[in-house]
Amino acid sequence: MSLESLYQELILDHSKRPKGKGIAEATGRSAVSHQRNPICGDEVTLQVRLTDDGNAIRDITWDGAGCSISQASASMLVALVDEEREISGEAMSVADARALVEKFREALRSRGSIPLDEETFGDAAALSGVSKYTARVKCAMLAWVALEDTLARA
């Protein structure tokens, strides 16, 4: 099995069994962002709850509808943020989350010249191939743009 087909299976798996799907009741310091791709109709609503000091992500959930790429990307983003807490025992900082979004955007706009590092992006590295298809980049970016928006408003 090739690496590309493994990545395709990973995307399909996240699409069929998404992580963090289902918006929780907003409590504490939180923000919600709804992003839509008018070209294909993909939609993602992402909610972020921050720690009391506003410096880290306490909780992240989402809901949406659309293609497997947009839905898998949202699931992968949530899994990545949650994984940080599981590994380090601490919530992902807002600064780290913003930097992650920027690196993701840079790789997806690179048209395949900058691959997503698996160590940094976890399962989301499977979305590297999307950068070769400009029409699909927006699908993969929806949740990440929503995260950026929530962090700016929270």
Side-chain angles (χ1 to χ4, degrees), residues 76 80 100 103-104 116-125 144:
M76 291 169 170
L80 186 60
L100 206 60
K103 288 178 187 175
F104 190 80
L116 292 164
D117 175 51
E118 194 172 327
E119 191 169 310
T120 302
F121 289 96
D123 287 353
W144 300 75

Side-chain angles (χ1 to χ4, degrees), residues 138-154:
K138 177 110 179 171
C139 301
M141 284 296 306
L142 278 179
W144 300 75
V145 170
L147 175 59
E148 185 175 55
D149 185 41
T150 60
L151 295 177
R153 296 197 279 139

Side-chain angles (χ1 to χ4, degrees), residues 55-105:
N55 291 328
I57 297 172
R58 175 184 297 167
D59 185 47
I60 181 170
T61 56
W62 69 281
D63 203 356
C67 72
S68 60
I69 291 173
S70 70
Q71 303 304 285
S73 184
S75 174
M76 291 169 170
L77 173 58
V78 168
L80 186 60
V81 172
D82 286 346
E83 185 177 281
E84 174 76 18
R85 183 176 23 258
E86 291 169 13
I87 292 173
S88 71
E90 295 185 19
M92 181 180 282
S93 74
V94 168
D96 286 348
R98 285 185 173 132
L100 206 60
V101 171
E102 275 307 309
K103 288 178 187 175
F104 190 80
R105 177 179 285 118

